[in-house]
Amino acid sequence: MGKNLASAVLKKPKAKLGTSTAGKAGKKPQPKKDLHPNSRKAARLHGSLLRDSKIQKLKTESEDKRMKRAQRVYWYKENITEYLSQQGRENQKELSYDEICNLIQSYIDRNKEELEEIEAENKARKRRTNASREDAIRDALRRETEEFKAGWVAPDFRRPKVVQQVKDWQLELNVLPSLATATFKRKSK
């Protein structure tokens, strides 16, 4: 019985139909043939490449969206207690609609000091020194302002539970979808 077991283990498996002949005794490997550009196989290959690139693009966009949301929630986490203490209401558990809009506006204005410094430096030197950073800040400010006019999605700080969740957030991305959100629009002045 030991001899049969050893011979069964040492036997090479039989080759399946349609497999490569490389490594087989007496057979030469077949060179790969080029595909005709109008063939069905080429069309399938092209379609699968397009599908893979589309899936990769969607993954990248989805990840960018998640990171943008995480950055915003992190900013709210860092600044909500400061905002409440400036208003003189450290013990307050929720915010009103107008207070949330003010908090969102302060998020949008977070880079205004840096922009003013760049502009002052440009005036002093009489040329644009940090042009790419200045353009990036202006572009972000414009996009965020337009988004706020159309409808800004933010955690619903009108609920005490959400305020506490944001304060206790440990930077875990998988927790973000469980935060209750609402859409806030800037009121016309």
Side-chain angles (χ1 to χ4, degrees):
M1 175 147 177
K3 185 177 178 183
N4 291 338
L5 180 60
S7 63
V9 171
L10 295 176
K11 278 186 177 178
K12 290 184 179 178
K14 292 184 177 181
K16 296 179 182 174
L17 290 176
T19 59
S20 154
T21 59
K24 294 183 182 175
K27 299 272 185 164
K28 292 184 183 178
Q30 297 291 325
K32 293 202 174 196
K33 296 180 181 178
D34 290 334
L35 295 177
H36 190 278
N38 296 334
S39 69
R40 292 178 187 166
K41 193 170 188 178
R44 274 196 307 273
L45 183 62
H46 181 67
S48 68
L49 290 175
L50 287 176
R51 181 179 181 278
D52 290 345
S53 66
K54 183 178 179 182
I55 288 173
Q56 187 62 35
K57 180 183 173 188
L58 290 174
K59 281 183 183 179
T60 305
E61 288 174 357
S62 174
E63 189 62 28
D64 289 348
K65 193 174 179 180
R66 278 181 61 190
M67 290 308 295
K68 179 177 149 184
R69 183 171 183 207
Q71 288 173 345
R72 286 181 180 181
V73 173
Y74 179 73
W75 188 90
Y76 295 138
K77 173 186 171 61
E78 295 293 316
N79 291 286
I80 194 165
T81 53
E82 180 182 329
Y83 177 79
L84 288 174
S85 64
Q86 286 176 352
Q87 301 295 322
R89 292 176 268 156
E90 296 84 13
N91 298 329
Q92 188 175 352
K93 302 286 187 212
E94 71 266 346
L95 300 173
S96 69
Y97 187 91
D98 291 333
E99 290 172 330
I100 295 170
C101 288
N102 291 338
L103 186 64
I104 292 170
Q105 188 60 50
S106 61
Y107 174 81
I108 292 171
D109 295 339
R110 71 193 180 283
N111 292 324
K112 278 208 173 178
E113 290 177 14
E114 184 181 356
L115 186 61
E116 290 169 0
E117 289 174 11
I118 291 172
E119 288 173 349
E121 189 176 327
N122 290 345
K123 283 184 181 179
R125 293 187 180 189
K126 297 183 181 178
R127 62 186 170 114
R128 290 182 68 193
T129 53
N130 295 322
S132 60
R133 179 66 183 149
E134 181 183 2
D135 291 342
I137 292 173
R138 287 186 191 280
D139 188 44
L141 185 64
R142 181 189 50 77
R143 267 187 288 112
E144 290 171 351
T145 303
E146 288 175 6
E147 184 180 348
F148 193 25
K149 287 179 184 175
W152 184 281
V153 177
D156 191 1
F157 292 122
R158 295 175 290 188
R159 300 179 184 182
K161 180 182 174 185
V162 174
V163 173
Q164 194 59 42
Q165 281 178 322
V166 170
K167 285 182 178 179
D168 297 339
W169 183 50
Q170 297 296 317
L171 306 179
E172 297 168 349
L173 295 178
N174 58 349
V175 175
L176 290 178
S178 65
L179 282 176
T181 59
T183 304
F184 301 94
K185 290 185 180 183
R186 175 188 292 167
K187 292 184 179 177
S188 301
K189 292 181 180 179

